[in-house]
Structures are given as C-alpha cells and as structure tokens.
Amino acid sequence: MEGLVRKTSKLAGLAGAVLALSLLAGCSNEPDPAQRAMNAAQRADAAASRADAASQKAQQAAASAQAAASQVEQASADAKAAADRAEAIAGHTGGGHHRARHHKAMKKAAAGGGGAASAKP
C-alpha cells in the first residue's frame, strides 16, 4: 500500500508540473498565432516596398546606361564621318600637290632643256 501511495503522489506531482508548465506557456509574452501572422505580413509588405524601390533604381540605371550607349554610338559615328572627311581632303590636296610639283618640273625641263626631265631615261 505504501508503494501505491508513493506512485500516486509521484503521478500527481508530475501532473501538477505539466499543468504549471502549460499555464506558464499560455501566459508567456509570446504573441498568439494571429499576431505572429500580422507581424509576418508587415515584414513581407516592408520587404516588397524595398524590392519595388530597388527595381525602380535598377530601371533608372538601365535607362542611364542606354542613354550613355547612344551617346557613345553617336560619338563613334561622328568620329568616323570626320575621319572620312579628313581622308577625302588629304586625298585631294596630296594628289594635287604632287601633280603641281611634277608639272613645274616638266615645264622647267622643257624651258631649260635639262633639269629633271633630262635626268630621266
């Protein structure tokens, strides 16, 4: 009988401890599931706002990069056009200058009877 009383009192003590723990857990400062869901929703909303702001900044950066690329392309086209004009000018003046010198030499040779024309075979 004494063993039975001991076992019963141990069980009663264990049940009391479980009851006390469950009461403590119920009275703790932990928010209830609805409050936790609200907190999670607020955090998700804040994260979405930050993602939206980052997306807008990325779009602005992409637009700036596109504008810069267009400017570089235009500058390249302008440089090519300037190089083409310079080449055309150099072709006109270089060829004309060479012909004028050759013409003067031929005139001089014909007038003087010698010079550069007589040196040629």
Side-chain angles (χ1 to χ4, degrees), residues 65-117:
Q66 190 173 15
S70 294
Q71 288 176 345
V72 167
E73 188 176 336
Q74 184 61 47
S76 174
D78 292 346
K80 184 183 180 316
D84 290 345
R85 283 192 307 272
E87 186 178 331
I89 291 170
H92 289 311
T93 58
H97 182 67
H98 177 68
R99 272 182 286 202
R101 204 181 324 159
H102 181 67
H103 183 67
K104 282 182 186 178
M106 294 300 282
K107 234 175 140 179
K108 192 178 202 180

Side-chain angles (χ1 to χ4, degrees), residues 1-7:
M1 181 111 174
E2 198 174 303
L4 183 61
V5 171
R6 258 190 214 178
K7 284 184 182 180

